Amino acid sequence: MCAAVKEKLDNIIEIKNVSKVFDGITVVDDVNLAVKRGEFVTLLGPSGCGKTTLLRMIAGFELPTSGSIFLEKQDVTAVPPHLRPINTVFQKYALFPHLNVYKNIAFGLKLKKLPTGEYDKKGKPIFRKFTKDEIREKVERVLKLVNLEAYGHRDVTGLSGGQQQRIAIARAIVCEPKVLLLDEPLGALDLKMRKEMQLELAAMHKDIGITFIFVTHDQEEALTMSDKIVVMTDGAVQQYGTPKKIYDEPANAFVADFIGESNILSGVMKRDYCVEFCGSEFKCLDHGFGKDERVDLVVRPEDIVLGRDKGALKGEVVSSVFKGTYYEMEILAENYEFTVQNTVEYAVGETVWLSIDPNGIHIMKKLKVTNEFDGVVSSDDTVELCGGTFGFVNALGLEKGDEVRVKIPFDKIDLTDDESDGAVGANVTQTFYKGSYYQVQVYTDDDHEFFIDTVDEWDIGDRVGIKIAPEDISVERIARSDTDGDGQKDGETADE
């Protein structure tokens, strides 16, 4: 392999076990990531997922609490921003209002110093500044690159949002950084201009050839522009891959729900290439799961075929909306509400049959099958866990101070509007619809994660209380090397 090709395939950035903690809250959690030279990589996720914090650590504006960041194999974790060959474009463009377009772009070049290759009498390298002709040549080149050749003399305050955004990019790339970071730079633009700038940014990346790392919460932006997408939530990377891979083969229910329209269901793998859901068995292309393993699965709305005569599932059209190039219909089948996209409309109330090809079903491992925590018995009928005190049925005769493992099914937890009504308070961090119910993810104040299946819809950010009936809590003595004095074997549960 020639040296030029090998260099192209090298990782320009490597992030190793990077975490960031603010005031005891982990906002980036043990992230490992490698970015190849020249790639367009997008950090995608909901607000508060840690993507901007990760970008700021790459830039050097934030220091990791733990872990290391490497640029071209060199550890730059503690290197200040101005000494990294990295430039950043922010959502607020931060242009200098008292300078015209030309001077805004030239500002960084006037400050930059170049080594001459010579040394003074003390052996220190001698630097020089760019000449006026060199600055003019570079500024004119990037103005042409962003299609604003005739705007050098213009006042930046009189430019449109899209033009200001291009000037900000020009100012960032004129100094020829090895990596360009873009923190939601299209956020201030209207929808039409955003779509135009998505295509322009992608074309600009190809022309420049440097590495782009782009932050957004907009899935369409990520799918349109990226070579690779990093999907994040709760400070952790959920999946890293090409847009097609992430859309066609989401790693888990969160990714499936966040990227595009999805029908997310719970099912059971009966055997390799066969999954059961909605009361029927379907052929699929997935294998390697355990027999009768509980799984999540995703079916995209465009992968469902409708017919009036036959199919795998019988359903009824409950709503239909024209979307311009297709009709989006909600169809109730086997108590599951499927979203279906079709070029032919079926009337509301009409009976239809749904069919799904094997390649339209993607199987995912469940993140959890039950809520499980370690706790401590606090009285004859209470247990301390996740920062709260819960009642339980003490069928094992457990004593105060016994360490136990607690299990609670997803559908045995109640969420309350008033957190004081629950044994512990929590924040809703994710919620997605599974056809006949919502699966809600919440985090307690001491960072414990609960999954709840509920018919009630909750919004991300809602403050809730967690209530669990004593008979729905299964308590198991934590295994030790011998039996306890009461003669019961380790591992017995209080609901057996």
Side-chain angles (χ1 to χ4, degrees), residues 10 15 128 200 226-227 239 263 290 383 422 456:
D10 278 348
I15 298 168
R128 71 172 181 87
E200 286 194 27
S226 313
D227 297 319
Q239 190 170 0
N263 296 291
V383 60
D456 298 321

Side-chain angles (χ1 to χ4, degrees), residues 186-448:
L186 309 184
L189 306 181
D190 61 54
L191 180 61
K192 184 174 184 297
M193 188 171 291
R194 279 181 80 116
K195 291 181 178 294
E196 291 175 355
M197 285 306 304
Q198 288 169 14
L199 299 177
E200 286 194 27
L201 262 180
M204 200 181 300
H205 170 256
K206 290 181 180 178
D207 289 340
I208 301 170
I210 65 175
T211 305
F212 276 28
I213 301 180
F214 186 92
V215 163
T216 185
H217 62 270
D218 188 317
Q219 56 178 279
E220 183 181 348
E221 282 184 358
L223 294 171
T224 299
M225 298 186 294
S226 313
D227 297 319
K228 298 281 183 62
I229 298 174
V230 182
V231 184
M232 296 183 66
T233 186
D234 299 327
V237 174
Q238 300 296 313
Q239 190 170 0
Y240 181 32
T242 65
K244 180 173 174 55
K245 178 80 171 177
I246 285 176
Y247 184 85
D248 290 341
E249 300 179 40
N252 54 47
F254 169 79
V255 177
D257 183 62
F258 195 76
I259 302 289
E261 295 280 347
S262 303
N263 296 291
I264 302 173
L265 304 94
S266 292
V268 177
M269 285 298 292
K270 304 305 293 182
R271 55 190 174 275
D272 284 349
Y273 312 109
C274 180
V275 62
E276 181 184 71
F277 61 92
C278 291
S280 298
E281 291 188 0
F282 292 80
K283 293 181 179 178
C284 63
L285 303 182
D286 299 271
H287 60 93
F289 293 85
K291 179 176 171 54
D292 292 329
E293 179 178 347
R294 293 162 60 190
V295 294
D296 284 325
L297 59 108
V298 60
V299 180
R300 297 293 186 184
E302 66 270 20
D303 290 331
I304 298 176
V305 179
L306 297 181
R308 289 188 171 90
D309 300 325
K310 60 180 180 179
L313 296 172
K314 185 179 181 180
E316 179 184 334
V317 180
V318 295
S319 71
S320 177
V321 178
F322 183 55
K323 293 284 189 174
T325 57
Y326 60 87
Y327 294 90
E328 185 166 283
M329 291 165 278
E330 301 298 324
I331 298 174
L332 186 63
E334 296 294 332
N335 294 317
Y336 184 96
E337 194 171 292
F338 286 89
T339 299
V340 181
Q341 295 171 354
N342 201 23
T343 55
V344 177
E345 183 182 24
Y346 291 79
V348 173
E350 187 173 356
T351 297
V352 294
W353 287 89
L354 290 71
S355 299
I356 309 169
D357 287 335
N359 63 359
I361 300 172
H362 177 66
I363 310 298
M364 305 169 292
K365 280 193 171 291
K366 280 186 174 291
L367 293 174
K368 281 185 178 182
V369 296
T370 190
N371 294 292
E372 186 171 336
F373 310 98
D374 288 344
V376 177
V377 174
S378 52
S379 74
D380 288 344
D381 58 0
T382 60
V383 60
E384 298 279 349
L385 68 140
C386 304
T389 302
F390 294 82
F392 77 105
V393 178
N394 192 354
L396 294 179
L398 297 167
E399 298 179 355
K400 183 178 180 179
D402 283 348
E403 296 179 3
V404 292
R405 185 153 295 121
V406 178
K407 296 180 181 179
I408 310 112
F410 294 169
D411 60 352
K412 298 299 183 181
I413 300 175
D414 290 327
L415 296 181
T416 65
D417 286 312
D418 186 349
E419 67 173 290
S420 63
D421 289 338
V424 65
N427 293 306
V428 175
T429 55
Q430 296 299 333
T431 178
F432 47 87
Y433 188 52
K434 301 194 77 172
S436 56
Y437 64 92
Y438 295 90
Q439 188 162 94
V440 180
Q441 178 193 45
V442 304
Y443 273 93
T444 64
D445 294 335
D446 54 358
D447 215 26
H448 285 94

Side-chain angles (χ1 to χ4, degrees), residues 29 51 61 88 99 144 165 172 184 208 230 239 278 311 416:
D29 189 5
K51 56 188 185 295
F61 300 130
T88 306
L99 301 179
K144 184 176 182 180
Q165 193 255 10
E184 302 207 48
I208 301 170
V230 182
Q239 190 170 0
C278 291
T416 65

